Amino acid sequence: APEVETPAAATTPEAAEISAPAKTVYLITMDKMDQHWVTVDAGAKAMADALGLNYKWDAPDVKDNAKQIEAVNNAVADKADLILLAANDPKAISEAVKNAKAKGVKIIYVDSAADEPAIATLSTNNYQAGALAGQTMVEELKASGKTSGKIGIISVNTATNSTMDRENGFRGVVEAAGYTILTTEYKDGDAAASQEAAYGFIAGNEDLVGLYGTNEGSTVGVGNAIKASGKSIIGIGFDKSDAILGLLKDGSLKAAMAQNPFTMGYLGVAQAYAALNDLSTGPAVIDTGVAILR
Amino acid sequence: MPEHLIELRGISKVFPGVRALDKVSFFLKAGEVHALVGENGAGKSTLMKIISGIYNRDEGEYLLNGDSVGDLTPKKAQELGIAIIHQELNMCQDLTVAENIFLGREISKLGCVCQKEMNRDAKEILNKLKIGIEPDTVLRKLPVSKQQMVEIAKALSTNARILIMDEPTSALTEREISELFDIIRTLKSNGCAIVYISHRLEELEHIADCVSIFRDGRHIVTKDFKDTDLNEIISYMVGREIKEKFPAVECQKGSKILEVKNLCSGIVNDVSFDLYQGEIIGLAGLIGAGRTELVRALFGAESITGGEIRLKGRKLNIRTPRDAIMEGIVLGPEDRKKEGLCTKLSIRENIGLANLDRICNKAGIVSRNKENRLAESAIDKLKIKTPSQEQLVNNLSGGNQQKIVVGKWLVRNAEVVIFDEPTRGIDVAAKVEIYNIMNDLKRQGIGVIFVSSEMPEVMGMSDRILVMCNGRITGDLISREATQDEILRCATKYNH
Amino acid sequence: MQKREYNFNGLLRQTVSIRGMGQVISVSVALIIMTIVFGIINPLFFSKDNMTNLLRQVVPIMIIGMGQSFVLITGGIDLSIGSVAGMSSMISATLMTTGHMNPWLAAFITIAACCAVGLINGFLVSRTKLPAFIATLGTMIIARGIAQLSNGNMNTDGIPEAAKAFKDLFYYGDTFGLYNPIWIGLILFIIFNFILSRTRTGRHTYAIGSNYEAAKLSGVNVILAETKVYIFSAFLAGIVGLMLTAQSGMGTMSAGTSYELNAVAASVIGGVSTMGGQGLLFGTVIGSFIWGVLNNGLQFAGAPLALRNLVIGVVVIISVLIDRVARSGKFDFRKALKSK
Amino acid sequence: MQKREYNFNGLLRQTVSIRGMGQVISVSVALIIMTIVFGIINPLFFSKDNMTNLLRQVVPIMIIGMGQSFVLITGGIDLSIGSVAGMSSMISATLMTTGHMNPWLAAFITIAACCAVGLINGFLVSRTKLPAFIATLGTMIIARGIAQLSNGNMNTDGIPEAAKAFKDLFYYGDTFGLYNPIWIGLILFIIFNFILSRTRTGRHTYAIGSNYEAAKLSGVNVILAETKVYIFSAFLAGIVGLMLTAQSGMGTMSAGTSYELNAVAASVIGGVSTMGGQGLLFGTVIGSFIWGVLNNGLQFAGAPLALRNLVIGVVVIISVLIDRVARSGKFDFRKALKSK
Ligand SMILES: Nc1ncnc2c1ncn2[C@@H]1O[C@H](COP(=O)(O)OP(=O)(O)OP(=O)(O)O)[C@@H](O)[C@H]1O
Ligand SMILES: Nc1ncnc2c1ncn2[C@@H]1O[C@H](COP(=O)(O)OP(=O)(O)OP(=O)(O)O)[C@@H](O)[C@H]1O
Ligand SMILES: [Mg+2]
Ligand SMILES: [Mg+2]
């Protein structure tokens, strides 16, 4: 396709001219349901208002590569100057991102980067976060005197890289510490289904010592299952939501890895402003880090 | 050139539970009209379906032009010059007339169908049949009788040497029937062989050369038509003499029960008449006259646009069949499969359905004992042939199904009972049983209205005959004094 | 013969009636075999824990399946029930959290809302005569939209401690050693099975599914009868929605996704005819158990997700084929291949 | 009279035939109005960028919609096409990546596999006489399972650079200023519209949907005719799957989820009857455009996701209601309300 050949640099200035006073910044997330994305949006909106940028949030109704690509195409057609993108899949979205850049649209990744290079990436390092969760799990188990046993993982699906990274990071640490990890159950982040799967783990393995959820939904499922079973099983999870805080409070979950979605959005738009006004955007990769909630 | 176009020897066909044909033999000569008669379920249609490749025979030998044929398909049969007009209308309502006529045999060049040619050829055939309809009209828009004519046109369009007509006239008007008979005669003179199935034995006199009689899947006799008469044929059909075809009973009529004043609904226009207790009114008329619409209107199944209905002098406000039933007016509808029965349900449930108000308590809970008794009494009253009341209606023969359509109402004491074509397509014996049911009602002092397209039956069974034409009542005759052509004259009084 | 008739009376005769019972029996056998197999693969499958859990897992699909069965028996289909369950989950949770409403009141209002959707479905199908598939496809999308709107396109926060009783009733609590949802499922089954098999409404349901016109001419108020079944299915979906809220302790916008098809599968496996006029709720119950045992058992057997889909898909098809055979008396595969 | 006959002949008469043309016209008007409204709300909606982009978005649903229409016209339904598209995406991508296969060969094999699924659907429906809904519900689950199995329950890696030509043909490239997928859609429309409106096969499609028995007795090879349409729909779903692969440059297991229902919606909006016997592919095209314009336009209008669902759901229902009215000639709402 011809537009791919045209160098990004060439078109950038004219793009700047077209978009008259207020420049348009798009946030495109994986979907619009998880509280996580809602918080990213909140952060982005806050900064956008502060800087007087014209800001829109779009996303597919469900996590889906094709739909996200169309969201990007639509944003380009809607004359976005810059897109904050949470790539549903690093490979899938790249071609669309390349085309967008060719049309003079600037790209910044939040939460999950794509393969195609961009101005900056603000995200949690999910592998490390997973490892951190693993360490927490091991500490908690040792603390409760369980030096061996089985651990069940409830994740979203094998197609979501962020959660796969969290799973693998966790797996490495925990297996190294001599625990056995069971076949992972993928429940698309559906709280109810995750909970059933967790029950499956608990009922199906007498020597189950720990359960790990890799996102909001799976974590809620894990917490609820442990709570209901009344067994002393260590639950570790991801993300911060009201339901999860509740489960932490009553001890059903021992810890949750909280990312900083607000920061992603907030700093993301700040970076965008810098990029749009040809100011320095600082480091190419910013780890927004995780906090361990207990 | 062998003597017979078709020779069938020792043909048998078994369906789950039924032996439809049992070692039947059948011979068809070129240039003859071979009538085929028999009670419902005698196996007529089944035999024809075997000839035309719809069913495959279980055993027996099938010779066509002298050489034996194996298993046929409808298409192969077509190619061998066999065409069949089916008992039930078999048309695609969404396709045009021409598309229907050429269905399965579309004229096409390089895989592309030639609409133009097909319309032209269709038009020719329709003209030959003197039917003034455009080949590109969608079938759905035609009245039933016209659709039947299209089906006939379709059969003729194949230029078949062997033409099978399975009750072609059951939905035709007198005029169309005579057109059809003309065509049959010309086909005959061109050396076509025609198998003609009908329950209207009177028709046979006009066309039949010879007649084969079937009973319970067996071939009884084949006779030259001139060597026999209807009574003999009937006795062969039912295996015994039927004393009186129309067992009319005399009983003096009571007080006025139903009063219809200037009723309008659909094509029904300004219809007025009275019905007395213990009286049977026959509604005569040609198809499309509006009889069904009239009775459906009385039953609340068609919306009434004008006029009033009084029951025992009280003005009724009937908006749904439910209302009518509550008032004691009931209808046995025209088409048993479409409107009459829940064929997937048992006899018990069908009878129960019409009488739920009587077998349910206040809370709407069904009493199975009451229901069983109800079903039993109905089965006994109507002499329904069935192993048990749990038999699915679907597995009953046409006549017995019709008895249920009629009978589900008899277990409740209605004031007015309406039958629409209660004897259409059922055999002589079953007919007589239905007539007896009507007479019972009459004796109980119930008012009976019955719609029929068979004049002898109307004249034989009813006390008074109302003739309809074009939605109007064009004749009100005392049946004792009425004559066929008088009725027919009223039935065709279009300019009113 | 009279005699034979009467021995068959009452509830017994009901269930032993020819219609669909063959299927029910054959699938029951299948269910037992499956259970044994899974038990052998992993003995813990039979553990009290897992069994009670399994029961609790099956209940939602069973309840929704019963609603779907009613609709299927009238010859219709209700695609909206999955979304309605989601809507129920979101509305109830929103009312309890941001609405600070008393859980029971919230539940009541929610169910009312769900029944309203059922009423709309009923209206569209029975009065405006839209094909059920389309009408409910529309409401399916709409109900999901409402689920998303109700809390401003966010899952709700955790429902307050005050709602503990609510949580216990609909999911966590137990009575006589069985979880409450199991009791709820049982009670609903008894009620709706009674409605279907013993009441006027039930007769009407079969009748309009078997022949709408004939039912009408037999004095059945077809509009009312047809509307009822859609209200039933929406009501039952609403109950399931409450269970989901109680289970997760929050409202999830995507809750109940594709339940409607699982419900069809459960019904059909249990011998309910998608052509209408035939089916027993008991069959639906067995059907949902097959569904549940497959999912749970395959996890215990450690089968990968992909495989589970294959198995379930095949089971659906096979079970309907069995049904065909059972009904047509025989099924000659070679004939099927030859037949023109 | 004859004269009138001839003016009406050929393609014109075909399309102006009663088979749902009324609906097609009314929705076309609706489409134009919608477009204008969205254009006013946000002028960029009319920008060349957005228009070409919109066209490209509509193509997949339009292609799958055409397949679904064929099936609907025979009175069936194909729930499996969404999963088949996903299967196609996964198989093709797996063959290109882990299989290191030439893209075109891979594409060919993939399409063959999809047609095989279609053949199975056709067999189940036409020969074993399973209700289409159930048979395809089963294959829907199975096909999704295959999609997941094909690359060991993982999405594939990015397809190699060698497949650039493939990517361009099926998604990114353009010809005469229009993206290639648009051309593909156009060509497929021309072909399949020709098949439906001008060939024997098309005639038989309408015939079996209108009256299966009659078609059979008229010597139509109903088994073949019915099988064909399921192969068509699977084939078209396969093409869409390839587009999805090209678009994402990889195979996605969840690709095509719920396309089958969108396809039904598009067909129905375009006046295809779910009762069979009626419908025009042109209507399906318009239907899919309404679908696409709604989604795209509502985004441009900045409407929240939830609202979009509401709107689309309502549109589906309204459009079928219009259809009803158009067909029954009139629709007296008050009567509908009163009628018992
Ligand atoms: N497809 C079928 N399946 C099962 N039984 C059948 C089938 N077709 C016909 N029968 C049975 O075979 C017998 C003969 O049926 P057939 O239709 O040939 O009778 P007929 O002489 O045509 O009766 P009618 O005068 O009512 O048309 C009947 O008992 C009927 O119930
Ligand atoms: N459902 C229908 N749709 C359209 N037209 C109909 C319908 N039913 C009847 N008609 C038309 O209304 C007129 C009256 O039909 P009706 O059935 O009442 O005639 P009929 O005297 O009962 O004849 P028969 O009952 O013997 O067919 C006919 O022109 C018929 O074509
Ligand atoms: Mg017959
Ligand atoms: Mg009539």
Side-chain angles (χ1 to χ4, degrees), chain C residues 4-330:
Chain C
R4 213 187 96 277
E5 264 320 298
Y6 285 99
N7 308 346
F8 264 126
N9 272 345
L11 199 62
L12 174 67
R13 238 220 97 280
Q14 297 285 333
T15 21
V16 186
S17 97
I18 336 84
R19 225 172 312 111
M21 203 52 205
Q23 174 75 349
V24 173
I25 292 164
S26 53
V27 285
S28 310
V29 174
L31 177 58
I32 294 164
I33 296 172
M34 271 169 41
T35 324
I36 294 171
V37 172
F38 285 130
I40 293 166
I41 298 176
N42 178 344
L44 281 171
F45 180 79
F46 280 127
S47 64
K48 178 175 170 309
D49 268 10
N50 189 51
M51 278 299 140
T52 48
N53 260 321
L54 180 58
L55 281 171
R56 185 164 56 171
Q57 273 178 46
V58 171
V59 166
I61 188 71
M62 168 188 132
I63 293 180
I64 276 199
M66 292 196 296
Q68 189 66 281
S69 298
F70 264 87
V71 178
L72 290 174
I73 290 173
T74 63
I77 183 162
D78 191 343
L79 292 179
S80 70
I81 43 185
S83 304
V84 170
M87 184 182 110
S88 158
S89 158
M90 280 305 290
I91 293 182
S92 56
T94 310
L95 291 177
M96 293 185 214
T97 53
T98 37
H100 304 295
M101 191 180 280
N102 165 305
W104 305 118
L105 179 57
F108 179 80
I109 294 176
T110 307
I111 294 297
C114 295
C115 292
V117 177
L119 187 65
I120 293 172
N121 283 333
F123 173 83
L124 290 173
V125 175
S126 67
R127 298 226 201 244
T128 68
K129 302 269 178 271
L130 291 195
F133 188 89
I134 304 307
T136 56
L137 175 59
T139 46
M140 168 189 185
I141 305 173
I142 294 174
R144 188 60 67 189
I146 296 175
Q148 292 162 335
L149 278 180
S150 45
N151 194 38
N153 203 8
M154 285 171 59
N155 294 341
T156 70
D157 297 343
I159 60 179
E161 271 317 303
K164 173 135 185 14
F166 170 85
K167 278 186 175 174
D168 286 345
L169 174 64
F170 280 107
Y171 194 78
Y172 289 104
D174 65 336
T175 316
F176 311 127
L178 278 184
Y179 289 117
N180 293 336
I182 301 173
W183 291 111
I184 295 181
L186 191 64
I187 293 164
L188 287 173
F189 168 71
I190 292 170
I191 295 174
F192 280 89
N193 187 50
F194 183 83
I195 293 180
L196 183 60
S197 59
R198 310 278 287 133
T199 69
R200 184 188 271 129
T201 306
R203 289 310 167 78
H204 292 172
T205 308
Y206 282 110
I208 59 181
S210 172
N211 182 341
Y212 187 87
E213 215 33 50
K216 190 172 171 185
L217 294 183
S218 304
V220 176
N221 182 340
V222 283
I223 300 287
L224 182 62
E226 202 169 20
T227 309
K228 265 187 201 164
V229 295
Y230 287 92
I231 294 178
F232 287 164
S233 65
F235 167 81
L236 290 168
I239 299 286
V240 170
L242 296 180
M243 288 182 167
L244 292 171
T245 305
Q247 177 178 17
S248 322
M250 63 183 280
T252 325
M253 290 183 289
S254 61
T257 306
S258 82
Y259 276 29
E260 64 280 351
L261 290 185
N262 305 357
V264 174
S267 310
V268 167
I269 294 175
V272 178
S273 157
T274 48
M275 303 287 137
Q278 290 179 321
L280 300 169
L281 282 197
F282 185 64
T284 310
V285 174
I286 303 290
S288 14
F289 268 92
I290 294 216
W291 187 266
V293 169
L294 271 178
N295 277 302
N296 177 281
L298 286 169
Q299 182 189 346
F300 268 63
L305 201 71
L307 209 60
R308 296 182 206 174
N309 278 334
L310 286 187
V311 175
I312 291 173
V314 173
V315 166
V316 169
I317 291 178
I318 299 287
S319 60
V320 199
L321 277 178
I322 296 175
D323 193 21
R324 270 277 163 297
V325 185
R327 253 170 232 165
S328 71
K330 42 144 196 44

Side-chain angles (χ1 to χ4, degrees), chain D residues 113-329:
Chain D
C114 295
C115 292
V117 177
L119 187 64
I120 294 171
N121 284 331
F123 174 83
L124 290 172
V125 175
S126 67
R127 298 225 200 245
T128 68
K129 302 271 180 267
L130 291 195
F133 188 89
I134 304 308
T136 56
L137 175 59
T139 46
M140 168 190 186
I141 304 173
I142 294 174
R144 188 60 68 188
I146 296 175
Q148 292 161 332
L149 278 181
S150 43
N151 194 40
N153 202 15
M154 301 281 291
N155 289 344
T156 69
D157 299 340
I159 60 180
E161 271 316 304
K164 174 142 186 1
F166 171 86
K167 277 188 181 176
D168 287 346
L169 173 64
F170 280 108
Y171 193 79
Y172 287 102
D174 64 25
T175 315
F176 311 128
L178 280 184
Y179 289 115
N180 293 335
I182 302 173
W183 292 111
I184 296 180
L186 191 64
I187 292 163
L188 287 174
F189 168 71
I190 291 171
I191 295 174
F192 280 89
N193 187 50
F194 179 85
I195 293 179
L196 183 60
S197 60
R198 310 280 287 139
T199 68
R200 264 215 187 78
T201 306
R203 213 34 76 69
H204 296 171
T205 306
Y206 283 109
I208 58 181
S210 176
N211 182 343
Y212 186 87
E213 266 312 302
K216 185 173 173 186
L217 298 182
S218 310
V220 174
N221 183 339
V222 284
I223 300 287
L224 182 63
E226 201 168 21
T227 309
K228 265 186 201 164
V229 295
Y230 287 91
I231 295 177
F232 287 165
S233 63
F235 167 81
L236 290 168
I239 299 285
V240 170
L242 295 180
M243 288 181 168
L244 293 172
T245 305
Q247 179 180 25
S248 318
M250 64 182 281
T252 323
M253 291 182 291
S254 62
T257 306
S258 80
Y259 277 27
E260 63 280 353
L261 290 184
N262 304 357
V264 175
S267 310
V268 167
I269 293 176
V272 177
S273 157
T274 47
M275 302 290 140
Q278 291 185 319
L280 298 170
L281 282 197
F282 185 65
T284 310
V285 174
I286 303 289
S288 10
F289 269 92
I290 294 214
W291 186 267
V293 169
L294 270 178
N295 277 301
N296 178 284
L298 285 169
Q299 182 200 339
F300 270 63
L305 209 62
L307 207 60
R308 298 183 206 172
N309 277 335
L310 287 187
V311 174
I312 290 173
V314 172
V315 166
V316 169
I317 292 178
I318 298 287
S319 60
V320 200
L321 276 177
I322 296 178
D323 192 21
R324 269 277 161 297
V325 185
R327 253 172 232 164
S328 70

Side-chain angles (χ1 to χ4, degrees), chain B residues 291-292 334 420-421 424 451:
Chain B
R291 296 163 299 171
T292 294
E334 179 173 29
D420 192 354
E421 308 280 1
R424 181 178 281 177
V451 178

Side-chain angles (χ1 to χ4, degrees), chain B residues 150-423:
Chain B
V150 174
E151 175 135 21
I152 292 167
K154 178 178 176 180
L156 296 179
S157 71
T158 61
N159 307 318
R161 308 268 349 281
I162 300 164
L163 189 56
I164 299 167
M165 300 186 171
D166 196 344
E167 299 189 30
T169 55
S170 63
L172 293 189
T173 65
E174 301 295 333
R175 205 174 70 264
E176 288 159 329
I177 291 178
S178 62
E179 294 289 354
L180 177 62
F181 286 173
D182 293 345
I183 293 157
I184 290 179
R185 292 191 194 94
T186 31
L187 288 172
K188 198 166 115 181
S189 55
N190 306 347
C192 285
I194 293 159
V195 183
Y196 189 91
I197 300 178
S198 177
H199 286 287
R200 299 189 182 174
L201 302 179
E202 302 77 11
E203 290 175 356
L204 303 183
E205 277 149 350
H206 303 92
I207 43 165
D209 300 314
C210 63
V211 55
S212 288
I213 294 130
F214 278 47
R215 193 195 319 145
D216 307 335
R218 263 177 278 101
H219 172 245
I220 305 301
V221 286
T222 300
K223 289 197 162 224
D224 271 354
F225 198 79
K226 50 183 166 343
D227 315 344
T228 179
D229 61 65
L230 292 187
N231 292 339
E232 192 191 12
I233 292 175
I234 291 172
S235 58
Y236 276 126
M237 283 169 63
V238 296
R240 65 189 137 81
E241 285 288 343
I242 287 199
K243 311 279 160 313
E244 33 174 1
K245 260 174 80 190
F246 304 113
V249 296
E250 279 311 319
C251 65
Q252 103 293 13
K253 70 183 189 182
S255 57
K256 185 194 288 179
I257 179 164
L258 186 73
E259 189 177 1
V260 178
K261 282 217 204 90
N262 318 94
L263 191 74
C264 298
S265 159
I267 76 155
V268 174
N269 187 347
D270 186 27
V271 166
S272 308
F273 67 91
D274 298 341
L275 173 67
Y276 292 81
Q277 290 177 326
E279 179 184 44
I280 296 181
I281 288 186
L283 266 183
L286 305 178
I287 287 173
R291 296 163 299 171
T292 294
E293 287 195 337
L294 171 58
V295 291
R296 281 174 61 89
L298 292 176
F299 188 56
E302 303 275 346
S303 54
I304 297 172
T305 53
E308 66 175 28
I309 305 169
R310 290 178 174 280
L311 188 70
K312 293 179 168 168
R314 190 164 47 82
K315 187 176 186 309
L316 300 183
N317 172 21
I318 296 174
R319 279 174 29 262
T320 68
R322 195 182 176 67
D323 302 342
I325 294 163
M326 289 313 155
E327 297 290 359
I329 302 176
V330 297
L331 167 72
E334 179 173 29
D335 180 331
R336 56 171 172 268
K337 278 247 179 331
K338 269 217 221 71
E339 311 169 311
L341 299 164
C342 296
T343 48
K344 289 179 190 167
L345 301 185
S346 66
I347 298 175
R348 169 178 57 78
E349 284 159 306
N350 271 279
I351 305 274
L353 185 64
N355 303 288
L356 279 172
D357 54 326
R358 300 175 65 230
I359 59 177
C360 290
N361 63 14
K362 296 263 169 307
I365 296 166
V366 179
S367 150
R368 288 303 305 280
N369 293 330
K370 283 191 194 163
E371 190 181 25
N372 286 322
R373 268 186 251 106
L374 213 58
E376 282 305 329
S377 66
I379 291 173
D380 298 344
K381 251 202 209 146
L382 303 163
K383 308 195 188 57
I384 296 169
K385 298 192 200 70
T386 171
S388 107
Q389 55 171 254
E390 297 307 324
Q391 176 73 279
L392 293 192
V393 168
N394 209 17
N395 308 342
L396 294 176
S397 77
N400 285 307
Q401 288 184 353
Q402 189 62 42
K403 284 187 207 164
I404 296 175
V405 174
V406 174
K408 64 183 179 186
W409 296 124
L410 304 186
V411 289
R412 69 188 301 139
N413 26 36
E415 311 256 13
V416 177
V417 179
I418 309 171
F419 302 114
D420 192 354
E421 308 280 1
T423 60

